[in-house]
Amino acid sequence: MLSFPGPNLLPIYRDDHQWVYNILEGKKEVERVLYRDEDEAEGFVLVADLKWDTTTPENLYCLAIVNRRDLMSVRDLRRDHVSMLQRIRDEGLKVIKTKFGVPASLVRIFLHYQPAYYHLHVHFSHLRYHAGSPVIGKSLNLNDVIQNIEFVDEYYEQATLQYYIKDGHGLCSELDKHGYIIR
């Protein structure tokens, strides 16, 4: 497990985001897009994750990928992003209920830290779905994130967040290279 107070102490690992941009621009995964909000500041694309067959509601797994390219992770979120996060939550839940009949009471909404890729995205999963579901030391409940940044604008920039990463994760080798990992 690793723990860091803010992004300045951490070399940021960034991978190629072209596949994300292709989804946002409607060039790839078009058949998996469930909802598209074109607003540049607060819009997002809700896409069925490849882990989900889109037919079994209990295995529901979707991602809301924000249109903004300047938001990499929860560390970038501030009070002025609250309305965007609420929009993602509310519209995402509405689409999931309408298209798949899954009520809000059966949907988890969370962010990962550290994320698998550095372009802000929010996870939606069915409570009964376990693969890829929230893990202690990796997942942050969206409603908690909203509340925290409403209370303290720079909460996630300043907070010490503990998290787990696997040896194979690209960030792990970066952290190891800079002496942050003790083996």
Side-chain angles (χ1 to χ4, degrees):
M1 181 167 63
L2 301 169
S3 174
F4 291 96
N8 296 334
L9 297 178
L10 174 68
I12 303 256
Y13 169 76
R14 295 183 192 214
D15 58 359
D16 178 18
H17 291 93
Q18 191 56 52
W19 68 273
V20 174
Y21 303 149
N22 286 341
I23 293 171
L24 291 172
E25 295 165 7
K27 297 176 183 175
K28 297 282 184 182
E29 305 294 332
V30 177
E31 68 285 352
R32 298 193 71 78
V33 171
L34 304 172
Y35 177 82
R36 184 178 298 278
D37 179 336
E38 300 286 351
D39 187 87
E40 288 183 30
E42 295 194 352
F44 65 97
V45 173
L46 183 67
V47 61
D49 192 277
L50 292 173
K51 329 178 176 33
W52 184 38
D53 63 11
T54 69
T55 59
T56 311
E58 293 79 16
N59 293 339
L60 178 128
Y61 204 100
C62 302
L63 296 173
I65 305 170
V66 302
N67 290 338
R68 292 179 58 159
R69 296 183 185 200
D70 61 328
L71 299 174
M72 301 295 149
S73 78
V74 69
R75 292 270 190 207
D76 297 316
L77 295 174
R78 303 290 180 272
R79 194 172 290 128
D80 61 331
H81 300 121
V82 166
S83 63
M84 175 189 69
L85 296 172
Q86 291 170 331
R87 185 175 184 155
I88 289 169
R89 179 194 61 207
D90 298 345
E91 291 301 316
L93 288 171
K94 190 183 313 178
V95 169
I96 289 168
K97 172 67 174 158
T98 301
K99 289 187 183 261
F100 307 105
V102 180
S105 62
L106 293 178
V107 179
R108 286 186 191 102
I109 311 171
F110 57 96
L111 294 93
H112 282 151
Y113 190 78
Q114 294 284 333
Y117 56 94
Y118 289 87
H119 183 101
L120 189 69
H121 58 285
V122 177
H123 301 253
F124 290 76
S125 73
H126 196 288
L127 285 176
R128 293 187 187 119
Y129 184 69
H130 297 290
S133 62
V135 177
I136 294 173
K138 184 165 176 78
S139 298
L140 304 166
N141 179 287
L142 180 61
N143 286 327
D144 292 343
V145 169
I146 291 169
Q147 183 177 354
N148 288 338
I149 60 178
E150 283 178 327
F151 288 152
V152 179
D153 186 47
E154 296 174 348
Y155 181 89
Y156 288 101
E157 180 181 345
Q158 298 173 10
T160 297
L161 299 175
Q162 296 183 347
Y163 55 91
Y164 297 92
I165 54 175
K166 296 177 184 174
D167 274 338
H169 192 288
L171 181 59
C172 189
S173 60
E174 284 294 312
L175 293 169
D176 199 21
K177 184 169 39 174
H178 294 337
Y180 287 110
I181 295 179
I182 300 169
R183 297 187 189 269

